[in-house]
Amino acid sequence: MTAAPDQPDGATWRGWGINPSWSRLVNVRSHDGEIHRWHVLDTGPSAPGSATLLCVHGNPTWSYAWKSFLTRFGDTHRVIAIDQLGMGYSQRLGASHRPRRYRERVADLADLIDELQIGVDTALVLAAHDWGGAIAMGWAVQHADRVAGMVLCNTGIGIPEGRSAPKIIRLARSAPLRDMVCRRTPIFIEGTLRLSGQRISGTDRKAFRAPYHSTDQRDAIADFVGDVPLVVPHPSANPLMEVADRLVSIDAPVLLAWGSKDIVFDDDFAADLASRFPNVRLERFPDANHLVMVEADVAGTVDVWLHDLLSERSSASDGLTNDQSATPPRASTTTSVFDGLRCRFDDSSTAIADLANRETIDFETFTQRVEAAAAELRRRGLVDGDRVAMLTPPGIDLLVAVYGVWRAGGVAVVADRGLGLRGLRRAVASTRPKWTIGPRRAGLIRFVLRWAPRSRHINVSALIAEPVGPVELPPEPGPDAPAAILFTSGATGPAKGVWYRHGQLAAQRDALAATYQITAADRLVAAFAPFALYGPALGVPTALTDCDVTTPGKLTAEALDEACREIGATMAFASPAALANVVATATHPDKNTRTATPSVGDTTSNVTPSSPVGAETTTDVGHKYAGLAALRLVLSAGAPVPAEVLHAVAALSPNASIRTPYGMTEALPVADIDLEMIDTAEADGRGVCVGRPVAGAEVRIVTLGFDTLDGVPDAVATGDTGEILVRAPWVSEGYVAQWKTERLARPGDNWHRSGDVGHVDVGGRLWVEGRSVHVINAPTGAITPVPIERTVERLLAPTGLVTPGRVAAVGVGPTGCEQLVVVVERPNGTAGLADNELAAAVRAVVAAPVAAVLVSNEVPVDIRHNAKIDRAAIATWASDLLA
């Protein structure tokens, strides 16, 4: 066998980050009658109520692959990471032994578990990777009653349907090539390490290589590859198939922790396993490759999962029933997203007017094409729950296709171009759609750029063609049927897929209708493309403005007014950046590309009032914009809007109620505020007033940084700053392939952790003070960014020293000792430290100590809204500059 490092001081183990006392050799009586010596890394006995994690590595690694589990859980649970026979520092069986096949490997694992009495007095959790996963699953189906849970990382039990074996594994077909790559040279090991790129350290690379320096040390690596059943017949083919068929018998919770860049066990294998287990969760790590446990924080996700696993076991042992421990059910709804269309199925009036493409469609034709699209989708093979990525540009075709997918029972994956090309690719890929709908070019892109290479593409022009004769449709989806996957803006990290059921979408539609008294007599202009989806659901004519969805800040007053006049609009919805430019171009008609970007943040509302910039000149030109003047309601959401912009909009639309709903992709609306309330809000209020909760929505302010695993905290005192929790029948169901994110966002009782921080004043008004990830953890206590930014803008904008919406308050330095830095944008200035006048003015109006005042040429904002400041990027830039 390969000798384990045995220096008296354990220098090699310590250099690898491993406690030397964990390393030990175990003599195990084998099922074959022999005694084999195994090497394990064992953190020691587990405490009562804890778990034993048995970690089984794959090929060509060893127990070191589970270092993150050993170091994270070693003090709270027993972790045993094994070296399989012939691997790591376990016994080499030598040339006299034939290669061990899959069935024998499963028996080997059983021998070791019995020898160590693993799981006899504690909950046994199997964690496995690569070939170790197949072996662990083989033992689990034979001992399902002994398995408390399983964590499977980039593994598989068979080739997913419709797939061939990964190319890198097909070398197993050639014995000479396999011998050269796996045994005689370290190519297979080096190739595995190379897949991880810079995501693993030099220390990790040295440790992974250590047991495999010579040819005889690598025999088992070649044997493992040779045991892949790629030829028929193969001695391991039937045993693997038998295990695959029995996985349904494992009732224990299973967590799939997946590196999605793996070219061997890719997302197809995760989907295959997810379909086999009855109780499974998926956490997808989009930037990790094959060695996901080393490359990403899998242990952190498992930590949360283990907490729930052991809590459920404890509740069961205490005699609690499912009803006693379950989360209360959501309020159900009997309404449908199709109600609006049903009311106008024979209406020949305009349903959608697309000003960008100069097209219109009436309600009757729209309804017919939706039904025809649904029938065609079913004819082509779409079944209930199939995910369909909408790669169709905004317009009538997209709306018909989305409603067609819904009517057919599919799940519409709506990832708009406002996410940017990279964000759009990640979003689509994360949902693993079975179908894509779009023009021919989109079909090529989804394949060539690997967005959804195995999906079936449907040309949108063929799908929405005029129906010929009657169509046959399945029953309408019920309220619990999955309906849509939408995406967050990605302003505080990669965009997350948020999924909704039909009942939640209908409840959201009803909440909007009730909050804004929307009736069939209304007509909507959607200057933010995704908002146009509400039009058919509400049963109101809808117009799309002539503006690129990726540059909403370029919407002009003329374009918005044209859309309003086209349908005789009574309502308009536009992003804050869009409204700012509408105001700018109405005030200065000769500068139609000028953008006056609004205030920033991650919530939807507006700042306390200041002098309405441009209001007088806007009033002078207001008569030019008859469409805007006829509006009864103007809505803006996505980020805070400066009060001066809203006043200028009010001058353009003097008969309109100017409203800014507060919410997020996961829940909209939550609260609502109008311009009158904004004007009456205290000038020195902390943050942004977003009004009062809408009917049916609840808001609770709780302690900053509370632990979700402890449940829902009590509310803090009125006026105290804390995290904002929201609850409503239209809160989304959860996140796609991000189990940990979903779990940490849902502390219980249907409450959603919004990610915003703020407070409720004595009048019941909600104030937002920023995002929880942007809170500055200073030595004097937590500092929220928005109140500082608003104070600087309100007091210094009249002096010309700053521009509203272009101030960022960020923290630099280590957590707990962060220093407050204020950054001001001056496009034509010199980036760096602010001059004495600006620095002194900022320090004079900010109550907290300001470590530095900086000037940036450009404050980065998100693509979708052109308004949410990327404070993380600003903080990184400020740290580098000050360093």
Side-chain angles (χ1 to χ4, degrees), residues 689-714:
C689 183
V690 298
R692 296 186 178 90
V694 302
E698 299 174 75
V699 170
R700 179 183 291 186
I701 310 297
V702 300
T703 306
L704 284 174
F706 77 95
D707 189 346
T708 300
L709 302 184
D710 292 336
V712 183
D714 294 333

Side-chain angles (χ1 to χ4, degrees), residues 560-650:
L560 182 58
D561 183 70
E562 179 189 20
C564 291
R565 286 186 284 107
E566 177 70 22
I567 61 170
T570 60
M571 307 179 296
F573 181 97
S575 72
L579 283 186
N581 202 57
V582 166
V583 169
T585 53
T587 305
H588 306 285
D590 58 324
K591 298 181 179 180
N592 286 347
T593 58
R594 173 184 167 186
T595 302
T597 307
S599 294
V600 298
D602 299 284
T603 59
T604 303
S605 185
N606 43 318
V607 301
T608 51
S610 60
S611 299
V613 176
E616 293 183 3
T617 53
T618 302
T619 301
D620 293 339
V621 297
H623 66 277
K624 289 177 52 179
Y625 304 106
L628 294 175
L631 294 174
R632 74 165 183 87
L633 177 67
V634 176
L635 298 171
S636 186
V641 193
E644 60 265 26
V645 171
L646 294 177
H647 276 282
V649 171

Side-chain angles (χ1 to χ4, degrees), residues 690-871:
V690 298
R692 296 186 178 90
V694 302
E698 299 174 75
V699 170
R700 179 183 291 186
I701 310 297
V702 300
T703 306
L704 284 174
F706 77 95
D707 189 346
T708 300
L709 302 184
D710 292 336
V712 183
D714 294 333
V716 300
T718 299
D720 286 356
T721 296
E723 289 196 41
I724 301 173
L725 303 185
V726 301
R727 181 166 65 178
W730 53 88
V731 170
S732 62
E733 191 68 22
Y735 296 105
V736 176
Q738 291 186 295
W739 176 84
K740 181 183 177 183
T741 300
E742 178 177 317
R743 177 64 183 88
L744 295 182
R746 302 294 165 91
D749 293 340
N750 292 330
W751 286 101
H752 171 67
R753 198 170 183 173
S754 71
D756 289 336
V757 297
H759 67 277
V760 174
D761 64 20
V762 293
R765 297 175 302 187
L766 176 63
W767 295 73
V768 175
E769 301 178 43
R771 298 285 289 174
S772 58
V773 295
H774 297 149
V775 171
I776 301 162
N777 297 297
T780 55
I783 300 174
T784 52
V786 174
I788 293 171
E789 295 163 354
R790 296 298 176 263
T791 297
V792 172
E793 292 171 353
R794 185 178 68 251
L795 299 180
L796 299 186
T799 70
L801 289 174
V802 303
T803 301
R806 288 309 192 217
V807 177
V810 298
V812 299
T815 301
C817 297
E818 289 180 306
Q819 304 296 308
L820 171 61
V821 173
V822 176
V823 180
V824 176
E825 178 184 281
R826 286 186 175 173
N828 299 321
T830 301
L833 289 172
D835 57 45
N836 292 337
E837 179 188 12
L838 177 57
V842 169
R843 287 191 169 96
V845 299
V846 177
V850 179
V853 180
L854 305 179
V855 172
S856 170
N857 296 127
E858 182 180 13
V859 171
V861 295
D862 69 302
I863 298 175
R864 176 185 283 179
H865 300 292
N866 290 182
K868 296 181 181 179
I869 284 183
D870 188 343
R871 294 188 183 91

Side-chain angles (χ1 to χ4, degrees), residues 458-545:
I458 301 176
N459 192 306
V460 67
S461 61
L463 179 67
I464 66 168
E466 291 190 17
V468 179
V471 297
E472 186 173 339
L473 293 172
E476 281 189 12
D480 291 331
I485 298 174
L486 311 176
F487 290 86
T488 61
S489 65
T492 57
K496 298 184 289 291
V498 179
W499 72 281
Y500 280 86
R501 298 185 188 275
H502 274 272
Q504 291 156 350
L505 289 181
Q508 185 182 59
R509 183 270 320 275
D510 294 344
L512 289 169
T515 301
Y516 301 110
Q517 294 82 51
I518 300 173
T519 70
D522 281 304
R523 295 172 177 82
L524 169 69
V525 168
F528 177 55
F531 205 80
L533 289 171
Y534 292 109
L538 290 163
V540 299
T542 304
L544 302 173
T545 58

Side-chain angles (χ1 to χ4, degrees), residues 305-318 709:
W305 180 81
L306 267 177
H307 172 276
D308 287 355
L309 175 72
L310 297 179
S311 296
E312 290 172 6
R313 286 174 61 88
S314 176
S315 297
S317 66
D318 289 340
L709 302 184

Side-chain angles (χ1 to χ4, degrees), residues 183-259:
R183 178 182 289 110
R184 297 187 180 277
T185 68
I187 291 176
F188 193 74
I189 297 170
E190 295 302 323
T192 300
L193 298 178
R194 187 177 293 273
L195 290 175
S196 297
Q198 299 302 311
R199 291 179 294 275
I200 64 174
S201 66
T203 297
D204 291 334
R205 296 173 191 278
K206 290 178 182 179
F208 278 121
R209 295 177 183 125
Y212 304 118
H213 287 306
S214 63
T215 298
D216 61 324
Q217 293 174 340
R218 296 190 291 264
D219 284 342
I221 294 176
D223 291 344
F224 264 118
V225 174
D227 202 27
V228 179
L230 296 177
V231 295
V232 179
H234 191 285
S236 292
N238 286 336
L240 282 163
M241 290 177 60
E242 291 170 4
V243 171
D245 291 340
R246 294 175 61 187
L247 291 179
V248 69
S249 67
I250 299 178
D251 293 327
V254 177
L255 174 67
L256 304 179
W258 224 260

Side-chain angles (χ1 to χ4, degrees), residues 5-363:
D6 59 355
Q7 295 92 336
D9 61 355
T12 300
W13 287 117
R14 295 186 191 281
W16 291 341
I18 300 293
N19 186 330
S21 68
W22 296 341
S23 173
R24 66 189 184 102
L25 298 173
V26 182
N27 290 323
V28 178
R29 184 172 297 280
S30 173
H31 61 280
D32 60 14
E34 299 188 31
I35 294 178
H36 299 308
R37 179 164 292 185
W38 292 66
H39 174 257
V40 299
L41 295 174
D42 185 354
T43 63
S46 53
S50 64
T52 296
L53 282 78
L54 179 64
C55 304
V56 188
H57 70 84
N59 192 29
T61 61
W62 57 289
S63 54
Y64 176 84
W66 302 99
K67 181 176 76 171
S68 61
F69 280 47
L70 291 156
T71 55
R72 187 177 189 111
F73 303 121
D75 293 335
T76 52
H77 305 285
R78 184 181 185 183
V79 183
I80 305 173
I82 70 171
D83 287 351
Q84 298 200 56
L85 289 179
M87 304 288 283
Y89 294 108
S90 283
Q91 180 180 346
R92 299 308 194 254
L93 300 181
S96 60
H97 288 72
R98 62 179 176 79
R100 300 185 87 73
R101 296 298 186 184
Y102 172 70
R103 197 187 297 274
E104 292 171 287
R105 290 286 183 184
V106 174
D108 287 338
L109 181 62
D111 295 337
L112 179 65
I113 291 174
D114 292 343
E115 177 66 31
L116 297 180
Q117 293 292 289
I118 299 173
V120 171
D121 54 358
T122 59
L124 172 57
V125 175
L126 291 168
H129 174 244
D130 190 83
W131 256 106
I135 293 167
M137 285 183 270
W139 184 87
V141 298
Q142 297 173 13
H143 306 86
D145 58 326
R146 296 174 59 182
V147 179
M150 297 183 72
V151 179
L152 299 176
C153 306
N154 289 74
T155 182
I157 196 63
I159 305 300
E161 184 178 357
R163 282 285 313 278
S164 58
K167 293 179 181 178
I168 196 171
I169 298 299
R170 293 181 201 169
L171 59 87
R173 289 192 175 125
S174 169
L177 181 59
R178 180 172 71 245
D179 186 63
M180 175 63 67
V181 171
C182 299
R183 178 182 289 110
R184 297 187 180 277
T185 68
I187 291 176
F188 193 74
I189 297 170
E190 295 302 323
T192 300
L193 298 178
R194 187 177 293 273
L195 290 175
S196 297
Q198 299 302 311
R199 291 179 294 275
I200 64 174
S201 66
T203 297
D204 291 334
R205 296 173 191 278
K206 290 178 182 179
F208 278 121
R209 295 177 183 125
Y212 304 118
H213 287 306
S214 63
T215 298
D216 61 324
Q217 293 174 340
R218 296 190 291 264
D219 284 342
I221 294 176
D223 291 344
F224 264 118
V225 174
D227 202 27
V228 179
L230 296 177
V231 295
V232 179
H234 191 285
S236 292
N238 286 336
L240 282 163
M241 290 177 60
E242 291 170 4
V243 171
D245 291 340
R246 294 175 61 187
L247 291 179
V248 69
S249 67
I250 299 178
D251 293 327
V254 177
L255 174 67
L256 304 179
W258 224 260
S260 291
K261 285 191 173 181
D262 192 353
I263 62 173
V264 182
F265 292 105
D266 61 13
D267 285 337
D268 288 342
F269 284 85
D272 178 70
L273 287 178
S275 70
R276 297 179 184 276
F277 289 104
N279 186 4
V280 66
R281 297 291 185 270
L282 171 63
E283 179 71 15
R284 186 176 182 271
F285 297 89
D287 293 324
N289 210 300
H290 186 63
L291 298 177
V292 62
M293 312 91 67
V294 189
E295 301 176 40
D297 186 22
V298 173
T301 297
V302 173
D303 202 355
V304 177
W305 180 81
L306 267 177
H307 172 276
D308 287 355
L309 175 72
L310 297 179
S311 296
E312 290 172 6
R313 286 174 61 88
S314 176
S315 297
S317 66
D318 289 340
L320 293 178
T321 66
N322 288 337
D323 289 340
Q324 289 173 303
S325 58
T327 298
R330 295 180 181 273
S332 61
T333 177
T334 58
T335 62
S336 163
V337 292
F338 301 105
D339 290 343
L341 289 179
R342 265 198 296 269
C343 293
R344 309 188 76 150
F345 73 96
D346 59 351
D347 191 334
S348 61
S349 64
T350 297
I352 310 294
D354 179 1
L355 276 295
N357 297 306
R358 303 295 161 178
E359 297 176 343
T360 62
I361 189 171
D362 60 62
F363 276 103

